[in-house]
Each structure stands twice: as structure tokens, then as C-alpha cells.
Amino acid sequence: MGGASKLGVLVKGSNYLEILADVDTIVFDKTGTLTKGSFAVTEIAPVGMTEDKLLELAAYAEHYSTHPIAVSVQKAFGQPVDATRIAGAEELAGRGIKAQINGQQVLAGNAKLMREFGIEPEDKQLVGTVIHLAVAGQYAGYALVEDELKPDAKTAIDALKKQGIRQTVMLTGDSDAVGQKVGAQLGLNKVYTQLLPGDKVEKVEELLQAASGKGKLAFVGDGINDAPVLARADVGIAMGGLGSDAAIEAADIVIMNDEPSRIAAVRRVAQKTLGIVKQNIVFALGVKAVVLILGALGFATMWAAVFADVGVSVIAILNAMRALRVPKDI
Ligand code: ADP
Ligand code: MG
């Protein structure tokens, strides 16, 4: 665990290192995990209002949200928000926001959210995350926001595959167009899109059942909505910088600097540590057995007994200290 912390990875218990060494399926969340989660607003298409008004309403609706999309909308708006005009703001996980602004109901979120409230959003098959807006039950247009892959996302997936990870999967609440694009760019084995938080748990259950006996499943996520899945997976890994408190709390392993490539590095630490543990067990029991037999036959001296006891312990400890030396590269 000390070795892992040198890599900026917090491991909450030695048992998680043991499980991590046996992981052969890794399931990733998309936004904030494989992508930066800092969205740039690239297009605003209002219906029956100005672009500025649409951005303002979106920023007001998103005021209380800490979702990466919300933070980006605030930044694009770039003006102070008068919170007294907002009431009853509610975050609907995996869909968006519902709030009262100036006494009118405003919805900001994906197509799923719009349909839930009986509003048919414009469907232009855009590649990018679309925030639809509706005011008082009327469709009011959309803002298109785009995210980028984390610079080391591809290296991380490649390194994990090289380590013998059998399956890399991505789960996302985002649209199919965006999900498939990211999946193809990274060379992931499977991509599941348009999932609500509950669907993510279900998918992970399915993958857990399909996993072969010994192979374990790790889930990597960052959002509040990922917390149930982080708890359900054999080992849950959260992004510590961008991640929500709930995700960090529910996770077994936390990556402080949000770099997905650290997963491959900490898995190497886990495998090395487990190797050292096995060496020490075999060595300590082996020497003790030999001295025991020699003692029974009358060949062992007092010094041999001291070596078999204290000497073996010291050597095992020195061997274990190798676990603190961690390679910086992956
Ligand atoms: P992911 O699974 O990729 O991490 P989330 O489950 O957090 O994504 O969100 C899924 C989708 O729900 C987003 O792509 C977005 O369309 C919509 N959404 C979620 N939260 C918000 C929000 N605060 N504002 C607007 N849209 C949101
Ligand atoms: Mg996320």
C-alpha cells in the first residue's frame, strides 16, 4: 500500500491489492473517467429565445449541480448567478436537472429527460453531448458540449491489455454516437450507452455472472451515480480529483491524480506484492521444515534453530521491503 501511494494511488486495504492482481475484466465509466469531463460549449441552438437567454437558463438550472457538464455550462455563462431566482433544483442522475427558475419549470438534460416529461426534443444525430432545454413544458433548444479523451486514456487501455486483461468495457449515460466514437478511439472490447445509474448496476451484475471463476471485475468511475456500481464490483476504483465524495467513499482504491494509466501501474504493484508474499511463505515454511527434520535426526545445531526462526523472519522482511520500490513507468 505504501508502494501504491508513491504512485498517487490510495488503496483502502491490502485485500483489494490481492483482488486487483486477479482482475481480468475492467469496466469504465466514460465522463470524467476516460474523458476529461471538462466540456466546451461548441454550439447553441435556441428555439424561440436568444442564444444568451438559453445559456443563462441552462446556467441557472445547473447552478447547484457539480456534474462536469454543469461546471462547464457555468464557465461558458461566466456571470454571477442570482440564486434567489432558483427554487427546488433537483438532479436526476444520468438525465439532467429539473428546477424552478422565476417560478417556471426548467428542464436541462438529455433526450431521455425530455421524453420523461412528454417533450419531444430535436434529434439531429449530433456527435457530442447535447443539453436540451425546456421551459414550462415547451422545448427551448439545445446546447452542444464536447469533451476530450484524457491524454493517457489510450496508453492506459493498451497497457492493461498487454498485462493480460481479457475484457475492457465502457458504460455511459451519454448518447450512442458519443459512446461508440470513444470506444473505437480507445479500442475497447464493449460499449454500452444511454444507461441510467440502475442500468449500470445491472450491466455489471451481468458481467460479474459471465466472468470466469477466478477472474475478478474492477469498475472505474467518478460520479455520484457510479457509487452503487463501485460498491458492487469486486474492486471499485474512483477518480480522486474530479470524483464526487460519494464515489470516493464507495471505492476501494482511489486514483488521486485522475490518470487512468495508474490502474495498470498499481496492478503491477499488486502482482509484484503478491509474488513477494508467496516467495516469503514458501521460503519461511521450507527452511523451518528442513531444520525441523534435521533436528529430529539429530543434525541441527542451536545456530540452525536461531537461523530458522529469527534469520528467516529478517530475510522475509528484507524481501518484503522490495514492494516499496515501484517502477514509475507502466
Ligand atoms: P457518464 O455515465 O458518461 O459518466 P452520467 O451518467 O453522469 O454520464 O450522465 C449521463 C448523461 O446524463 C449525460 O451524458 C447527460 O446527457 C445527462 N446529464 C447528467 N447530468 C447532467 C447535468 N447536470 N446537466 C445536463 N445533463 C446531464
Ligand atoms: Mg461519470
Side-chain angles (χ1 to χ4, degrees), residues 19-308:
I19 302 171
L20 188 66
D22 286 335
V23 162
D24 77 344
T25 302
I26 304 198
V27 184
F28 295 90
D29 164 63
K30 179 181 75 72
T31 316
T33 303
L34 291 174
T35 67
K36 284 183 184 167
S38 68
F39 294 80
V41 178
T42 52
E43 191 185 332
I44 301 179
V47 174
M49 62 171 72
T50 64
E51 290 189 6
D52 291 344
K53 185 73 191 160
L54 185 137
L55 193 59
E56 182 188 320
L57 280 174
Y60 270 77
E62 302 275 10
H63 181 63
Y64 291 109
S65 172
T66 54
H67 194 279
I69 293 180
V71 175
S72 316
V73 170
Q74 309 282 342
K75 219 168 78 192
F77 180 55
Q79 289 171 42
V81 166
D82 173 11
T84 56
R85 287 168 56 194
I86 314 166
E90 201 182 320
E91 180 141 16
L92 306 161
R95 286 157 292 167
I97 307 282
K98 182 180 92 171
Q100 301 281 333
I101 298 168
N102 293 333
Q104 282 188 312
Q105 188 189 61
V106 174
L107 301 170
N110 54 20
K112 216 171 227 172
L113 176 74
M114 294 294 131
R115 297 213 178 91
E116 225 169 89
F117 286 84
I119 298 159
E120 198 43 46
E122 215 167 294
D123 182 13
K124 291 218 287 194
Q125 300 294 325
L126 300 156
V127 178
T129 304
V130 183
I131 312 168
H132 293 288
L133 205 80
V135 180
Q138 291 297 316
Y139 187 64
Y142 67 84
L144 185 69
V145 293
E146 279 176 72
D147 198 1
E148 279 176 274
L149 286 179
K150 286 189 185 168
D152 68 329
K154 179 87 179 108
T155 341
I157 303 292
D158 290 347
L160 286 168
K161 283 189 174 165
K162 223 160 57 198
Q163 283 187 5
I165 295 290
R166 195 170 52 84
Q167 220 183 176
T168 51
V169 183
M170 185 176 81
L171 306 183
T172 179
D174 211 338
S175 70
D176 206 44
V178 179
Q180 298 297 346
K181 187 175 153 201
V182 170
Q185 278 173 335
L186 295 179
L188 298 167
N189 298 118
K190 280 190 197 140
V191 172
Y192 297 100
T193 57
Q194 289 169 298
L195 301 173
L196 294 179
D199 304 332
K200 288 188 181 179
V201 179
E202 244 169 62
K203 274 279 170 273
V204 165
E205 296 273 0
E206 268 172 40
L207 291 164
L208 277 169
Q209 296 223 315
S212 51
K214 195 170 165 288
K216 296 274 190 267
L217 180 145
F219 179 80
V220 194
D222 70 307
I224 305 181
N225 49 346
D226 297 324
V229 203
L230 284 166
R232 184 64 192 87
D234 291 320
V235 53
I237 305 174
M239 297 293 156
L242 263 177
S244 69
D245 292 346
I248 292 167
E249 179 72 33
D252 308 311
I253 295 176
V254 185
I255 299 177
M256 301 316 291
N257 67 357
D258 295 345
E259 285 177 10
S261 57
R262 293 293 152 109
I263 300 166
V266 73
R267 190 162 173 276
R268 274 248 301 263
V269 170
Q271 284 177 329
K272 182 177 164 190
T273 307
L274 226 66
I276 292 173
V277 169
K278 284 177 187 153
Q279 281 167 10
N280 277 350
I281 292 173
V282 170
F283 169 70
L285 291 183
V287 170
K288 282 174 203 278
V290 168
V291 173
L292 194 73
I293 293 165
L294 290 179
L297 299 177
F299 292 120
T301 62
M302 178 59 89
W303 290 115
V306 170
F307 174 73

